């Protein structure tokens, strides 16, 4: 087992990949090896047809403290891959990803959360972009994504002050998909992932693609661009299977074609 494999645990079951950042001694901070392992997991996720969704979480009651500044200061490489910081922020996977957050998701840890498609968090979880307090900028997607997730002025307050945001406040702002009692985030995220994995995999992937890519589409082209993505799904064997299964009141058997 390599160092990277020790720092990132990966499980695969029933169409769901669960990725756990496992560096509790440093609050699951991300160093170069961890970023490479995360990137490899997301590459596998996108390359494996039998996987429909992923959950990313942290071990020992903490999501992630962000970049491992001590490792970098000691001469380590920047914790990124071609996918960006933590192997996700610049190029998230095409497959949906759910963040399961216990404890703190700070700095780059929060940016990992923002790169995910859904967020399940414990009631005592906290989020923040404290980079300005260190004379830095949240350049791993925090400045780009947070104002698209919550109201502009609230996002600017969090970005410019570096203050923390509690989970209950984050839920009120629409940042969190589901809120759980402490210790329950991963179980709830697994449950949500299983519900997604039960759906047509081609439809799930295409739906995410349209939502993500359409943010930059001119309104005059939106329906035509959407059609190029969803029409192959509409004409697929899985679409026919979904209709037959519905009419016969049975569970569909997806062929991913």
């Amino acid at each position: 087992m390599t160092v990277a494999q020790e720092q990132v645990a990966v499980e695969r079951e029933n169409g769901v990949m669960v990725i756990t950042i496992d560096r509790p001694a440093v609050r699951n901070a991300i160093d170069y090896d961890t970023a490479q392992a995360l990137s490899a997991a997301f590459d596998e996720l996108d390359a494996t047809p039998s996987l429909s969704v992923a959950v990313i979480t942290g071990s020992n009651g903490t999501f992630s403290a962000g970049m491992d500044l001590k490792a970098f200061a000691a001469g380590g490489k920047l914790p990124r891959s071609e996918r960006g910081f933590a192997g996700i922020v610049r190029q998230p996977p095409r497959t949906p990803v759910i963040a399961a957050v216990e404890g703190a998701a700070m700095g780059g840890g929060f940016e990992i959360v923002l790169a995910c498609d859904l967020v399940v968090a414990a009631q005592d979880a906290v989020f923040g972009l404290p980079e300005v307090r260190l004379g830095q900028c949240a350049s791993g997607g925090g400045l780009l994504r947070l104002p698209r997730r919550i109201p502009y002025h609230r996002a600017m307050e969090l970005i410019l002050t570096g203050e923390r945001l509690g989970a209950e406040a984050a839920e009120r702002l629409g940042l969190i998909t589901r809120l759980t009692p402490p210790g329950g985030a991963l179980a709830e995220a697994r449950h949500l992932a299983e519900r997604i994995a039960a759906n047509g995999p081609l439809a799930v992937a295409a739906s995410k693609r349209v939502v993500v890519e359409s943010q930059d589409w001119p309104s005059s082209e939106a329906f035509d661009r959407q059609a190029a993505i969803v029409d192959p799904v509409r004409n697929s064997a899985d679409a026919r299977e979904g209709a037959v299964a519905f009419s016969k009141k049975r569970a569909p058997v997806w062929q991913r074609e």
Side-chain angles (χ1 to χ4, degrees):
M1 181 178 290
T2 67
V3 172
Q5 289 172 327
E6 292 176 352
Q7 295 177 346
V8 175
V10 180
E11 305 171 47
R12 308 157 191 84
E13 185 177 4
N14 298 326
V16 179
M17 172 183 278
V18 177
I19 303 166
T20 304
I21 306 168
D22 192 14
R23 305 187 72 217
V26 291
R27 300 176 65 237
N28 298 324
I30 310 297
D31 64 359
Y32 176 79
D33 287 336
T34 306
Q36 294 300 308
L38 288 170
S39 184
F42 292 126
D43 286 345
E44 178 191 343
L45 176 68
D46 277 345
T48 307
S50 61
L51 294 172
S52 297
V53 60
V55 175
I56 182 168
T57 192
S59 67
N60 205 39
T62 298
F63 186 78
S64 174
M67 178 176 171
D68 189 337
L69 295 174
K70 290 183 179 180
F72 180 64
K77 298 179 182 179
L78 285 169
R80 64 189 183 195
S81 71
E82 292 182 356
R83 288 184 176 273
F85 171 77
I88 187 175
V89 301
R90 186 180 182 90
Q91 184 186 335
R94 297 186 302 274
T95 308
V97 181
I98 304 170
V101 184
E102 297 280 352
M106 302 301 295
F110 191 14
E111 290 174 316
I112 295 172
V113 172
L114 291 170
C116 295
D117 303 293
L118 300 96
V119 183
V120 177
Q123 292 167 334
D124 56 355
V126 291
F127 306 84
L129 297 172
E131 283 83 353
V132 291
R133 297 187 177 189
L134 303 175
Q136 300 290 334
C137 299
S139 58
L143 304 181
L144 302 174
R145 291 191 171 104
L146 188 58
R148 295 185 177 187
R149 301 290 192 274
I150 65 175
Y152 173 87
H153 292 110
R154 191 69 176 100
M156 286 295 281
E157 179 183 5
L158 293 168
I159 289 166
L160 299 182
T161 64
E163 293 177 352
R164 295 185 171 200
L165 178 69
E168 293 186 354
E171 184 191 33
R172 290 194 295 272
L173 290 169
L175 186 63
I176 292 174
T177 311
R178 296 185 180 184
L179 199 62
T180 75
L186 180 56
E188 184 64 24
R190 283 180 184 270
H191 176 68
L192 184 58
E194 289 168 358
R195 289 185 60 188
I196 294 171
N199 295 327
L202 299 181
V204 167
S207 295
K208 171 176 175 173
R209 183 180 171 190
V210 170
V211 171
V212 172
E213 295 184 12
S214 64
Q215 296 178 50
D216 300 319
W217 291 349
S219 58
S220 60
E221 300 176 11
F223 274 88
D224 289 337
R225 292 195 181 191
Q226 175 180 257
I229 296 171
V230 304
D231 282 357
V233 177
R234 184 178 293 116
N235 297 321
S236 69
D238 273 1
R240 290 190 293 275
E241 165 63 12
V244 170
F246 177 80
S247 66
K248 294 185 176 181
K249 298 181 180 181
R250 63 167 173 80
V253 180
W254 309 118
Q255 301 299 317
R256 301 177 183 270
E257 59 183 29

